[in-house]
Amino acid sequence: MSTTAHQYGEPYSGRNKVPTIQGYQAQQERIAQDGQNNLNGEADKSLPPTPAGVPQPPPPEAQKKSGADEKREMMERLQPPKDSKPADKGKQKGDRWEKDPVTGLQVLVKDPKFADFRDQGFDNAALDPAGEKSGPALRKPADPATQDPRYPAPNPAQVGNICLQQFPPPVDPVDISKAKTILRSGAMVITALCAVGFFFSCLGHGVSWKAFFARSTILGSVAAVSWIGAENAGRKIEKELERVRMKMNQQRGETFSPPTPESVEWMNALLKLVWGLINPDMFVPVIDMVEDVLQASLPNFIEAVRLTDVGQGTNPVRIVSMRALPDQPGHPKYPQEEWVGLDKDTQSKIKAEQENKKSQAQNADPAAAEIDNDQSGDYLNYEISLSYQALPGQSRRLRFHNIHICLEFFLSAFDWFRVPIPIYAIVEGFVATARMRVQFVQQPPFVRNLTVTLMGVPQVEVSVEPFTTKLPNVLDLPLVKGFVEMAIAAACAEFVAPKSMTINLAQMLMGDGIKKDTKALGVLVVTIHHAEDISAQDSNGLSDPYIVLAYAKFGKPLYSTRIILGDLNPVWEETAFLLVTDDEVKGEESVSATLWDSDKRSADDLVGRVNIPLVELMKNPGKMHSRVDKLQGFEDANDMPGTLHWDIGYFEKMPLNKALKRDDPQPNVPDVIKDKKQVQETPTVADSQEEADALMTPPDPNIPTGILSVIIHQINNLERQDIKGNTGSREGQSGQDTEEPEEEGENLPNGYCEVILNDDLIYKTRVKQYTSMPYFEAGTERFVRDWRETVVRVQVRDARVREKDPVLGIVTVKLAELFKDSSEVTRLFSLQEGIGYGRANISFLFRQVKTELPRSMLGWETGTMEILGSVSIEATDELREGFKTKKLTVSTSEDKYKAPSSSATVTGSNVHWDLPVDKVRLPVYNRYSSAVVFEIGGGGPGPIGQDSDYVAVAWLKDVPDDEEYQLRVPVIRSDKLAQIRQNYINDQTAKTHKYDVVGYLTCTLVLDSGLDPDHERFQDTREDQHRYEAYDRVEGQKAIAERTAELGANGNADKKEKKAVEDERKHQLAMRHRGVMQYQPARTALWSKEGVKARARKVKNAITGTKDREPTVESEA
């Protein structure tokens, strides 16, 4: 199982996705299956004896996977995700041994049940201090074997908590069955009377068919209602008896707790006092997580769900038991500093071991070592068991004293209608066992980190009914009831051991809670040069190879090279950047480079793979390591034909440059308001020195590369513009609505955010349904090539029914301006260029990584290639006849341009083309794996001829952004030009491919970074359209203004130019729902038209076997 250590406030991201019920059920099924498989394994002798029916941990050899299993798993990882809902994770099942993130020991993880907290049989007389038998405080210590910390509470042996004692005695099921029998007898009597009435009233002579059906329906309904009422009444009696028992148990504890030793009733008394005073807003993150799970797990006929209200009531949670846990005290070297934080990453452990060895070699002072030991071990471990039971009684007045949630489900069908159904849910009860690890420090507030883990998925029971008196409570709405219970279980499953949640208490008590460091520890820089002599996977004796980079255990592809068709010696020369977090280090990951053969219609074939342990790379950071690795395979083929030539290196985050530290932490705030607390952004005592320096130290302008973190916290007062005019008599009315947005109404937006980095859509949040205050707390981290030239746009959209999702507003940030005075900025940004209003609370954080990339590698992935002036070809001695052709085609992967023959001039053996100004502009995506290809001449008649006689290839990875670049590339002649043009041309290509250099092509290139109007024709996918719309809104209005001013200054604009400007103006108005687009039928028609086009494109691609270029967009859902 994953050992993910969550951080409190950690944003949802591609790594930390929104949990779902479907995923939870699948995980529980795997746990149960693993437990069944492990029953036949040999038990680990270091673990305590396993209770009957509990699976034991498997031996190491049983955990090994065969080559076939490994291959199958890798193939499954590469398949696109299924259309599974995110909420189907499962019911409680499968006790298992896991590593406890609190004590570091193996622990039995056991999903708690209500029975575990009720059925504890003890000698009650022993609890009475006046009795003959001694109380728990006077008894001798219990047998350590029965108090083993590897078993979770509640422990059935010698627990001195009065709440665990069984009181009153459990109700005999026979007694309850008697009451149910009486109710059922009444139902039987009513059914018999209905049968008698049916015999005399429906089967007599002269009864018409109409009367027969009417009387039969009435009598049958009476009988059915009697049985339903009897069963409901029986269940209510059973629930009410249980509530009364729990209430009596609570009263007993409150009455007898003062003289009872080791009781936690004093804490329950305090909790009871504080419970009603707690602000319900403190539960917003928890409720938000449950809402996200519900939203991600909805069936198709339910479009959306939202939690409109939550209250904790006055009935508090009760503490059932509490005990201290050891902090590995049995270890001979305890305490030791390396244990201060069991979740410390491997990199820190390696450094600590090196420092220990160094100090021992230098004969360090024993006193200093003693002080160092005294500073360690300041952790306190506790285990606590909680229970909750609703108050007795079913009246509506009492229900609000319990924990309650108000939900609203929205039913829909094919986006034709949307019907809200309010639901009221009461938490009837829950039981849970958790472990906590508290770190104590010497600085105020004397506590820092709190690590919490659950000892199993808590059992929760809720009661659900329609939130209206007009609809009956039919069987507690079982489908909705189970759905809500599973959503809570799926959310809690993210924190069951070995997973955990770490909360920085110091930040919560005295800090601002803002993240001031990235989760990534550093960056892996991987340059894939080429592969040699790989195996042929296709029937033509060739392969179509490409390489996927991933972490071996995680499996998700993180980078993929381009496909080179029909080649056994591909040359890529591509560079990738992989972030390294503590999750990979703790998981002992390996970097995997897997070589695949691409197939058009069938699954891709594995060619070979190479794995390198991550720890080996981290031991020698800061430089690249050249490697030549033999390809490995699966099953019996340990060695595969071929070798991989690549460079790889690990680069750590750089410390902040203290020379750039600002004395004034708020240089841009006017002096008049600097003393106001609302505008202060200063370090707190909870921040480490490095975190405090991040607020006052900007990035070093001499180090362009680094890691950017973007976290969207929430959006305040998000609303749509009211663009409709007033009807009726408008005299004296307000022109527009100036009231604050409300949380009720039909016009609430369904907001979600998209993060666009350098015109590439990289991240998308979940949709927050029907709210003007969407709480996201979601974000992403990305490697940035040059922060000085980076532009980030956060685009807020409204998910609407039967419309394209309109843009409510955009936040545009240039990092060079944002990080002028600090490396971390959190503030409210106003939404602009949309049809809505609001202020987004966003955090930007940048940590530099020194990678020494060349100037050409610091650009954007998206741009436009433009040729300035002319193109010339000079022949070499290899081509004695010289160049006589006038045909020239310039192409990228997206577009092409054919030079007119009239622009060509042949001079001797050379050719010169004078190209028109501003005509050769070709869009470029994935620039660092793309090339501009110059095809010269024609390759002969018919489909069997080559496309050209000669080819010259310029790879855009060698061209810097936004500056004129003098290009000189070889002109190649070969029998396999289609193969040559896909490979990077260098010495390796000349060694493994047969071609002749017959000349050199020269021209002047400019690679304009970012999107421009030349890209508009290529917005096929939804992601492409959204990022282009963001560019168009921000840059489009500016372009119109500049063009209009230019035409006005010239005064001689023709009709065509004026029409182009007018069309663009109308286009801008339509994007803002003005003009004809202010009417919903027009917007719905546009949505339908684009939907038909998208479906037609999918059908065409399915027939032809082609695929659209789809950008990789990370999502938390």
Side-chain angles (χ1 to χ4, degrees):
M1 181 184 289
S2 169
T3 58
T4 304
H6 297 282
Q7 296 289 331
Y8 179 78
E10 178 183 1
Y12 286 129
S13 63
R15 295 173 179 269
N16 181 32
K17 289 185 177 293
V18 177
T20 60
I21 297 177
Q22 288 90 340
Y24 167 67
Q25 288 178 328
Q27 176 182 330
Q28 295 298 92
E29 292 291 346
R30 287 194 300 269
I31 290 173
Q33 185 62 39
D34 291 344
Q36 184 65 32
N37 294 339
N38 294 337
L39 285 175
N40 299 327
E42 183 178 351
D44 189 344
K45 299 300 189 293
S46 64
L47 296 176
T50 307
V54 176
Q56 301 181 8
E61 57 271 13
Q63 302 177 5
K64 295 180 179 178
K65 299 177 181 178
S66 65
D69 293 338
E70 193 173 0
K71 180 178 180 179
R72 187 188 68 254
E73 289 185 4
M74 178 168 289
M75 294 293 292
E76 289 175 353
R77 290 170 182 163
L78 289 178
Q79 297 301 318
K82 307 291 184 184
D83 294 332
S84 58
K85 300 293 180 185
D88 293 338
K89 287 189 179 171
K91 301 179 180 179
Q92 297 180 330
K93 58 181 74 172
D95 300 345
R96 62 271 184 197
W97 291 101
E98 299 286 359
K99 183 176 180 181
D100 182 8
V102 171
T103 63
L105 303 173
Q106 290 288 327
V107 64
L108 180 65
V109 176
K110 178 179 181 181
D111 295 335
K113 302 289 193 301
F114 286 113
D116 298 333
F117 287 71
R118 297 169 182 162
D119 301 337
Q120 303 290 343
F122 292 97
D123 183 5
N124 294 334
L127 294 172
D128 185 4
E132 297 180 358
K133 296 184 178 181
S134 59
L138 301 180
R139 295 175 184 166
K140 65 179 182 180
D143 184 3
T146 65
Q147 298 291 339
D148 198 308
R150 290 174 281 191
Y151 291 119
N155 201 317
Q158 305 295 335
V159 179
N161 188 337
I162 199 170
C163 298
L164 281 179
Q165 315 311 314
Q166 195 175 35
F167 178 83
V171 179
D172 191 346
V174 177
D175 297 334
I176 300 178
S177 64
K178 290 179 180 178
K180 291 183 177 181
T181 302
I182 294 174
L183 294 172
R184 290 168 182 165
S185 300
M188 291 182 65
V189 170
I190 295 175
T191 303
L193 293 176
C194 290
V196 173
F198 175 80
F199 179 80
F200 287 103
S201 63
C202 298
L203 301 181
H205 294 287
V207 177
S208 64
W209 283 105
K210 183 177 180 180
F212 175 82
F213 283 115
R215 295 170 185 175
S216 301
T217 302
I218 293 173
L219 293 174
S221 300
V222 170
V225 168
S226 66
W227 279 103
I228 293 175
E231 293 299 323
N232 275 343
R235 283 181 28 254
K236 288 184 178 180
I237 291 174
E238 189 174 356
K239 279 190 175 182
E240 192 65 20
L241 284 174
E242 189 59 41
R243 292 193 187 99
V244 171
R245 286 188 61 221
M246 296 300 296
K247 184 65 177 178
M248 295 176 68
N249 192 15
Q250 175 184 342
Q251 292 173 344
R252 178 174 181 259
E254 293 172 351
T255 303
F256 295 102
S257 62
T260 305
E262 297 184 18
S263 172
V264 292
E265 280 304 313
W266 65 274
M267 294 190 68
N268 285 323
L270 177 63
L271 187 59
K272 182 178 181 180
L273 176 65
V274 175
W275 187 257
L277 305 177
I278 297 176
N279 188 345
D281 292 342
M282 292 184 60
F283 300 100
V284 168
V286 179
I287 297 303
D288 188 73
M289 175 182 287
V290 175
E291 182 183 73
D292 293 334
V293 174
L294 289 170
Q295 181 64 40
S297 310
L298 291 174
N300 294 332
F301 63 90
I302 299 180
E303 181 188 9
V305 62
R306 69 166 178 164
L307 274 62
T308 58
D309 183 34
V310 60
Q312 74 270 26
T314 58
N315 181 29
V317 173
R318 294 185 57 78
I319 301 174
V320 175
S321 68
M322 194 170 182
R323 62 169 176 167
L325 298 173
D327 192 13
Q328 294 199 12
H331 198 282
K333 293 184 179 180
Y334 179 85
Q336 188 173 356
E337 188 172 3
E338 284 69 31
W339 287 341
V340 179
L342 291 175
D343 57 349
K344 185 177 291 186
D345 57 85
T346 305
Q347 184 181 7
S348 302
K349 292 180 180 180
I350 293 173
K351 289 185 177 180
E353 292 175 0
Q354 293 174 349
E355 291 175 359
N356 287 339
K357 292 179 181 178
K358 184 177 180 181
S359 63
Q360 293 175 3
Q362 295 177 353
N363 296 324
D365 185 7
E370 183 178 354
I371 294 174
D372 184 62
N373 283 340
D374 289 341
Q375 293 176 348
S376 67
D378 38 10
Y379 277 78
L380 184 63
N381 301 333
Y382 264 101
E383 182 181 77
I384 182 171
S385 295
L386 304 172
S387 70
Y388 179 84
Q389 192 72 31
L391 292 174
Q394 288 289 332
S395 67
R396 293 185 180 272
R397 181 180 60 84
L398 288 178
R399 291 175 184 175
F400 288 97
H401 291 283
N402 303 315
I403 299 176
H404 56 275
I405 303 171
C406 296
L407 305 95
E408 200 169 21
F409 289 90
F410 293 85
L411 302 182
S412 69
F414 306 104
D415 290 341
W416 292 342
F417 62 85
R418 178 180 289 174
V419 180
I421 298 181
I423 299 293
Y424 189 77
I426 299 176
V427 178
E428 295 286 348
F430 69 82
V431 290
T433 298
R435 292 191 173 189
M436 303 177 296
R437 179 177 176 84
V438 188
Q439 178 190 9
F440 289 88
V441 294
Q442 297 177 346
Q443 298 82 18
F446 306 110
V447 291
R448 187 164 180 85
N449 290 327
L450 168 65
T451 299
V452 181
T453 184
L454 296 174
M455 293 291 99
V457 180
Q459 185 175 6
V460 182
E461 183 178 356
V462 299
S463 175
V464 181
E465 61 184 64
F467 196 55
T468 174
T469 57
K470 297 179 181 180
L471 295 176
N473 179 13
V474 183
L475 299 178
D476 276 340
L477 295 178
L479 295 179
V480 181
K481 167 185 167 69
F483 187 63
V484 174
E485 291 177 348
M486 290 301 296
I488 298 174
C492 294
E494 292 300 303
F495 309 105
V496 174
K499 300 179 182 179
S500 63
M501 163 72 78
T502 298
I503 306 172
N504 191 325
L505 294 178
Q507 285 282 7
M508 293 184 65
L509 297 175
M510 306 184 67
D512 53 13
I514 300 299
K515 177 181 175 182
K516 299 182 179 68
D517 197 4
T518 60
K519 183 177 178 60
L521 306 174
V523 177
L524 281 175
V525 181
V526 183
T527 299
I528 301 173
H529 297 298
H530 58 271
E532 284 187 289
D533 302 324
I534 64 175
S535 60
Q537 300 292 324
D538 297 334
S539 58
N540 59 1
L542 299 173
S543 290
D544 304 325
Y546 66 95
I547 288 181
V548 170
L549 297 178
Y551 289 114
K553 296 180 182 178
F554 182 50
K556 178 183 177 181
L558 302 178
Y559 180 83
S560 177
T561 67
R562 66 186 184 276
I563 301 171
I564 297 180
L565 301 176
D567 209 324
L568 299 180
N569 296 281
V571 181
W572 285 285
E573 292 298 337
E574 293 188 30
T575 300
F577 305 91
L578 311 181
L579 297 186
V580 180
T581 68
D582 53 354
D583 292 336
E584 284 80 42
V585 180
K586 292 175 187 176
E588 299 179 351
E589 281 281 10
S590 297
V591 181
S592 171
T594 308
L595 191 62
W596 296 90
D597 167 57
S598 175
D599 292 327
K600 195 170 186 178
R601 298 187 180 276
S602 60
D604 294 349
D605 301 317
L606 178 70
V607 179
R609 63 170 183 167
V610 175
N611 286 350
I612 303 176
L614 183 58
V615 177
E616 290 185 10
L617 300 172
M618 299 180 70
K619 287 181 178 179
N620 194 5
K623 61 180 181 180
M624 299 292 289
H625 305 275
S626 297
R627 300 181 61 95
V628 179
D629 291 298
K630 189 79 173 61
L631 295 180
Q632 301 295 314
F634 294 106
E635 300 173 2
D636 297 331
N638 293 326
D639 293 328
M640 297 285 286
T643 55
L644 177 64
H645 298 250
W646 57 326
D647 294 344
I648 186 169
Y650 173 71
F651 295 84
E652 298 176 316
K653 291 182 293 189
M654 297 287 294
L656 297 170
N657 188 347
K658 300 296 180 63
L660 301 176
K661 188 174 180 179
R662 312 290 188 191
D663 295 330
D664 184 0
Q666 305 173 85
N668 298 323
V669 179
D671 295 335
V672 204
I673 60 173
K674 274 189 177 180
D675 296 334
K676 301 293 183 182
K677 186 176 180 181
Q678 291 89 337
V679 300
Q680 291 178 357
E681 190 176 9
T682 56
T684 66
V685 295
D687 296 332
S688 65
Q689 186 59 47
E690 190 173 15
E691 291 173 337
D693 290 342
L695 292 176
M696 297 181 289
T697 308
D700 190 340
N702 297 319
I703 304 177
T705 56
I707 302 168
L708 175 66
S709 169
V710 181
I711 299 178
I712 304 166
H713 300 291
Q714 75 271 352
I715 302 178
N716 299 335
N717 300 328
L718 180 65
E719 59 178 321
R720 305 170 180 171
Q721 290 181 1
D722 185 6
I723 60 177
K724 294 182 179 180
N726 288 319
T727 58
S729 176
R730 292 174 291 172
E731 182 178 353
Q733 295 188 15
S734 299
Q736 292 189 14
D737 186 12
T738 59
E739 298 294 332
E740 290 292 323
E742 299 179 355
E743 275 299 312
E744 298 294 336
E746 299 179 357
N747 205 38
L748 288 174
N750 303 318
Y752 66 93
C753 300
E754 296 172 327
V755 179
I756 302 172
L757 177 68
N758 291 343
D759 284 345
D760 286 329
L761 182 58
I762 63 170
Y763 184 76
K764 178 182 175 182
T765 70
R766 62 202 184 277
V767 178
K768 300 300 293 182
Q769 301 285 346
Y770 302 105
T771 176
S772 64
M773 300 287 287
Y775 178 90
F776 294 102
E777 205 62 41
T780 183
E781 292 184 0
R782 288 299 172 103
F783 177 78
V784 172
R785 297 173 184 264
D786 189 354
W787 68 274
R788 302 165 302 185
E789 302 293 335
T790 296
V791 177
V792 179
R793 291 191 179 108
V794 178
Q795 183 171 232
V796 182
R797 288 182 170 269
D798 183 13
R800 291 195 183 180
V801 179
R802 299 186 301 278
E803 290 186 36
K804 289 179 61 179
D805 296 349
V807 178
L808 296 176
I810 301 172
V811 174
T812 301
V813 174
K814 296 181 179 179
L815 296 190
E817 299 175 1
L818 184 71
F819 294 134
K820 184 171 59 175
D821 301 304
S822 68
S823 297
E824 192 280 329
V825 175
T826 299
R827 68 173 64 148
L828 290 174
F829 297 87
S830 297
L831 301 183
Q832 300 177 339
E833 307 295 343
I835 64 166
Y837 310 106
R839 290 186 175 91
N841 187 14
I842 307 175
S843 292
F844 294 90
L845 171 65
F846 185 74
R847 291 299 305 272
Q848 293 180 296
V849 178
K850 193 171 183 180
T851 56
E852 302 290 351
L853 294 179
R855 169 76 180 90
S856 60
M857 293 291 292
L858 301 180
W860 293 21
E861 281 281 1
T862 300
T864 303
M865 191 279 301
E866 181 179 6
I867 297 181
L868 303 179
S870 60
V871 176
S872 299
I873 297 180
E874 177 184 351
T876 63
D877 295 338
E878 292 287 337
L879 190 65
R880 296 179 181 178
E881 67 275 15
F883 292 100
K884 304 299 181 183
T885 181
K886 293 185 178 182
K887 293 183 179 179
L888 174 66
T889 301
V890 186
S891 62
T892 62
S893 57
E894 303 299 325
D895 200 5
K896 64 173 56 179
Y897 171 81
K898 290 185 178 181
S901 301
S902 58
S903 64
T905 303
V906 179
T907 306
S909 58
N910 303 329
V911 186
H912 180 86
W913 286 271
D914 287 320
L915 302 180
V917 180
D918 295 334
K919 290 296 184 182
V920 189
R921 290 182 57 84
L922 304 178
V924 174
Y925 297 99
N926 301 323
R927 167 265 192 92
Y928 285 101
S929 59
S930 300
V932 53
V933 181
F934 298 85
E935 299 174 88
I936 305 153
I944 61 174
Q946 291 192 141
D947 293 336
S948 57
D949 297 323
Y950 316 99
V951 70
V953 183
W955 290 92
L956 298 178
K957 65 181 290 292
D958 301 323
V959 180
D961 274 4
D962 302 317
E963 62 182 58
E964 294 186 4
Y965 179 77
Q966 301 301 321
L967 179 68
R968 189 173 188 269
V969 291
V971 179
I972 294 172
R973 179 178 62 187
S974 174
D975 295 335
K976 297 182 178 180
L977 284 181
Q979 182 188 85
I980 297 296
R981 62 183 290 175
Q982 302 176 76
N983 289 273
Y984 188 88
I985 306 300
N986 57 14
D987 294 340
Q988 174 64 24
T989 317
K991 173 185 172 183
T992 56
H993 297 76
K994 185 178 180 180
Y995 64 86
D996 297 322
V997 176
V998 297
Y1000 286 91
L1001 181 145
T1002 58
C1003 66
T1004 302
L1005 290 182
V1006 172
L1007 188 59
D1008 295 332
S1009 58
L1011 295 170
D1012 62 19
D1014 296 297
H1015 291 256
E1016 186 172 9
R1017 295 181 293 118
F1018 304 96
Q1019 310 309 310
D1020 295 328
T1021 65
R1022 177 187 176 93
E1023 290 76 13
D1024 285 337
Q1025 293 171 2
H1026 282 197
R1027 65 173 176 173
Y1028 186 81
E1029 287 176 15
Y1031 155 79
D1032 200 11
R1033 286 175 176 272
V1034 176
E1035 305 290 341
Q1037 288 280 47
K1038 178 182 176 182
I1040 291 177
E1042 292 176 350
R1043 185 60 178 156
T1044 305
E1046 180 183 345
L1047 293 178
N1050 294 337
N1052 55 355
D1054 57 19
K1055 291 184 178 181
K1056 185 176 181 181
E1057 291 178 330
K1058 290 182 179 180
K1059 184 178 184 301
V1061 173
E1062 180 62 19
D1063 290 343
E1064 182 61 26
R1065 188 186 67 83
K1066 291 181 179 179
H1067 171 65
Q1068 291 293 328
L1069 288 175
M1071 285 197 304
R1072 287 160 174 78
H1073 287 190
R1074 306 285 177 172
V1076 69
M1077 285 300 164
Q1078 66 182 295
Y1079 304 107
Q1080 184 175 359
R1083 301 195 297 268
T1084 301
L1086 180 61
W1087 166 79
S1088 302
K1089 175 183 175 183
E1090 295 198 354
V1092 171
K1093 289 171 61 178
R1095 286 172 173 79
R1097 187 169 60 251
K1098 288 182 179 179
V1099 173
K1100 177 183 175 183
N1101 291 343
I1103 296 174
T1104 60
T1106 58
K1107 297 180 181 179
D1108 284 334
R1109 175 188 48 78
E1110 297 183 2
T1112 302
V1113 180
E1114 181 185 354
S1115 174
E1116 55 179 317

